Amino acid sequence: MRHVVVISTGGTIASRWQGDGYAAEAAGREVLEAGAVPEGVEVRVVDLFTVNSSRLTTGHQLRLLHAVHDVLADPEVDGVVVTHGTDTLEESAFFVDLFHGDRRPVVFTGAQQPLDAADGDAAGNLYDALLTAASGRDIGAVIVFAGQVFAARGTVKRHTLDARAFGDPDGLPLGRVEFGRVSWGRRQPRREPLPLPERDVASPRVDIVMHHSDADAVLFDAAVAAGARGIVLVGTGAGNANPEIAEAVHRAVAAGVQVAVSTRVAAGAVAPLYTGGGAVDLAAAGALLTGTLKPGQARIAVLAALLAGRDAPAGEDREAGARLRRILDTTPKAASASELYLVDGVGH
Ligand code: ASP
């Protein structure tokens, strides 16, 4: 018998019609009972919280992180499944992955259709997630959805409504789940986990500011003024902005804010190619380029680097930049053409 713990957090997989829209309301046991449990797998349910995932806070994600570690403190447990809303699933999964040093898998899943949909995807996704969690494979945190297994890192929600909601625009799935078994493709090298933050650590503010034509530095400066300890600048193209924003980045970095540059483009890495406010100048101003991490996960990278500093006051955590650099280091994976480009490309 394999022992899997399901941690239930809400999302569409736990949602029902409320008269004017859907909202998460079902407990984990009800979600489980809507489908079947694979033979040879025994399940225990932990009801952590029940929210639509667009309402999640860092506080929720810290509770989830500690719940996973508490569950894995039991050597009898073979794996963990987290049921989660799809809106921010890629954020929580990457967050858990960055602190995960255990060999047992943590499998995130959800659904695009609510629990009470007769032709929904909740039961199948949960079944596949249970099979993956029971596999005993050393894969870190992964996302199982529509018959595919993706590493948490790099995976994004890529369709608002389609059942094949997730994918890695710069990589391949780790495996597939079909006909009641998991088959594996490439292996993902594991990384050193970050030190676990305290349960009651204060959540640092980390904002996302998107660049666009006609943008000025007002919103970026406003994030600094609001007390942001980290900012993800979502650049155009390969991570570009303009000279005014490059100056704002310089001021923010000088004030101790961690600035990371991602892109609003759906696939590919950011790269230091252009000056005149481009990624060359943003990097020279002290921003770190986030490789192929898209904005939501780039923000989680910054957040995790700050949280791993165990509550050091703003500007006094001298190691935060070094931790963020380690998180962003692409060399352990480098599985796709665009990442190889990043590793071998201009300025690297
Ligand atoms: N609103 C939902 C959420 O909690 C969407 C979903 O789960 O698919 O993210």
Side-chain angles (χ1 to χ4, degrees):
M1 227 358 136
R2 291 275 174 169
H3 299 277
V4 175
V5 176
V6 173
I7 301 178
S8 173
T9 71
T12 291
I13 196 168
S15 287
R16 293 196 188 98
W17 184 247
Q18 306 295 314
D20 56 352
Y22 290 97
E25 70 165 21
R29 179 52 56 190
E30 293 175 83
V31 175
L32 196 68
E33 281 167 2
V37 172
E39 215 176 298
V41 178
E42 200 173 72
V43 177
R44 178 165 73 83
V45 176
V46 173
D47 274 304
L48 195 60
F49 41 79
T50 310
V51 293
N52 287 0
S53 72
S54 57
R55 296 177 58 176
L56 283 196
T57 61
T58 302
H60 287 107
Q61 287 165 327
L62 281 165
R63 277 175 64 196
L64 174 59
L65 177 65
H66 279 281
V68 168
H69 281 250
D70 291 347
V71 160
L72 290 174
D74 179 354
E76 297 290 303
V77 172
D78 295 296
V80 179
V81 168
V82 179
T83 56
H84 197 291
T86 59
D87 284 7
T88 59
L89 189 148
E90 72 216 43
E91 297 180 33
S92 297
F94 186 43
F95 186 66
V96 168
D97 191 53
L98 287 171
F99 296 95
H100 189 69
D102 199 287
R103 294 182 62 80
R104 292 166 290 177
V106 182
V107 182
F108 282 74
T109 197
Q112 287 282 63
Q113 301 219 41
L115 187 60
D116 51 8
D119 59 348
D121 53 347
N125 283 344
L126 184 52
Y127 188 90
D128 291 351
L130 290 169
L131 274 180
T132 309
S135 70
R137 194 152 163 119
D138 182 13
I139 44 177
V142 297
I143 297 171
V144 167
F145 221 93
Q148 291 184 302
V149 185
F150 293 99
R153 186 189 186 96
T155 297
V156 291
K157 185 170 183 181
R158 64 178 178 188
H159 200 287
T160 54
L161 301 172
D162 196 281
R164 291 171 69 105
F166 287 89
D168 179 347
D170 298 291
L172 298 168
L174 299 178
R176 305 180 61 84
V177 196
E178 46 203 358
F179 300 105
R181 57 185 289 269
V182 192
S183 40
W184 298 101
R186 70 180 172 90
R187 246 186 204 284
Q188 165 116 319
R190 299 290 310 283
R191 293 159 183 263
E192 272 297 299
L194 292 166
L196 198 64
E198 305 294 337
R199 285 173 200 268
D200 56 355
V201 66
S203 308
R205 183 183 181 102
V206 181
D207 289 318
I208 298 181
V209 179
M210 188 164 96
H211 185 55
H212 51 84
S213 56
D214 203 35
D216 58 23
V218 168
L219 292 181
F220 192 94
D221 288 339
V224 177
R229 291 188 51 203
I231 302 174
V232 173
L233 175 61
V234 182
T236 51
N240 303 310
N242 62 32
E244 188 185 344
I245 290 178
E247 267 177 40
V249 169
H250 194 275
R251 285 195 300 275
V253 171
V257 178
Q258 298 299 320
V259 181
V261 179
S262 178
T263 173
R264 65 186 217 183
V265 181
V270 289
L273 297 172
Y274 299 100
T275 183
V280 169
D281 297 346
L282 300 173
L288 295 179
L289 306 185
T290 63
T292 54
L293 287 186
K294 298 301 172 274
Q297 290 197 340
R299 181 183 167 280
I300 291 296
V302 176
L303 178 70
L306 291 167
L307 283 169
R310 295 173 189 268
D311 226 358
E316 286 175 29
D317 183 4
R318 305 210 187 291
E319 291 303 306
R323 280 194 300 274
L324 183 54
R325 241 177 260 275
R326 275 199 298 279
I327 293 171
L328 297 176
D329 182 8
T330 54
T331 38
K333 187 176 163 199
S336 68
S338 52
E339 278 179 307
L340 288 172
Y341 172 72
L342 179 80
V343 172
D344 298 336
V346 181
H348 284 263

